[in-house]
Amino acid sequence: MYSCKIVAPAARSLASQSRVTLRPLSTAVVSKREHAPCSVAQYNGLPAMTTLPTQTQVLQVLRQFQTSASRQDIDQAAKYIGAGAATIGAGGSGAGIGSVFGSLVIGFARNPSIKGQLFSYTILGFALSEAMGLFCLMMAFLILFAF
């Protein structure tokens, strides 16, 4: 609807070589002149309807929107973006594993007598951090292949 109000005065002002071309587009939109009515159907390539559309015509228009190629492309792009965002956690998991084993080395250097206890805590921290990375990877695969 707004495109009809913007496009028609702009096209008319470009076509004429008068003083109207010098005024800004906002004054052409705000002007009180009546323009030919435009419908959304005309811009979608459908014939303009002078009466109310029937239920089958509405369903045909909706079906065109739902199965359009651009919508499928947008859905596919959203899947890839979501999967990429879900795999960011795998980098955090790698940093966590490095931190856990770095702390093991520091703890062992300070007190070598508790090697067994430090190693069991390290394996527990490694397992939890690795599990978080696997959960991120699982969510990425779910986004890509389940939805």
Side-chain angles (χ1 to χ4, degrees):
M1 177 175 174
Y2 290 108
S3 62
C4 295
K5 292 182 180 180
I6 292 172
V7 173
R12 190 178 307 114
S13 66
L14 289 175
S16 67
Q17 296 297 326
S18 65
R19 198 167 178 208
V20 176
T21 58
L22 299 176
R23 65 182 186 161
L25 182 63
S26 61
T27 59
V29 173
V30 178
S31 68
K32 300 286 184 189
R33 288 184 286 164
E34 287 296 320
H35 306 293
C38 296
S39 68
V40 177
Q42 290 174 339
Y43 289 106
N44 290 333
L46 300 172
M49 292 180 261
T50 56
T51 62
L52 290 175
T54 63
Q55 185 177 5
T56 56
Q57 290 172 335
V58 170
L59 289 177
Q60 286 174 350
V61 171
L62 288 176
R63 198 170 293 126
Q64 286 176 354
F65 286 127
Q66 290 174 352
T67 58
S68 65
S70 62
R71 181 177 172 97
Q72 290 173 355
D73 290 343
I74 290 171
D75 290 345
Q76 193 69 22
K79 280 184 184 181
Y80 290 139
I81 291 170
T87 56
I88 290 174
S93 174
I97 291 170
S99 175
V100 165
F101 282 106
S103 297
L104 171 69
V105 170
I106 291 172
F108 183 69
R110 289 186 180 187
N111 191 358
S113 64
I114 56 170
K115 177 183 175 185
Q117 189 178 6
L118 282 177
F119 190 72
S120 64
Y121 289 152
T122 301
I123 293 300
L124 179 65
F126 167 76
L128 293 175
S129 183
E130 185 71 20
M132 285 287 108
L134 289 175
F135 289 149
C136 293
L137 189 63
M138 179 189 68
M139 286 307 297
F141 283 132
L142 280 175
I143 290 170
L144 282 177
F145 300 115
F147 296 107

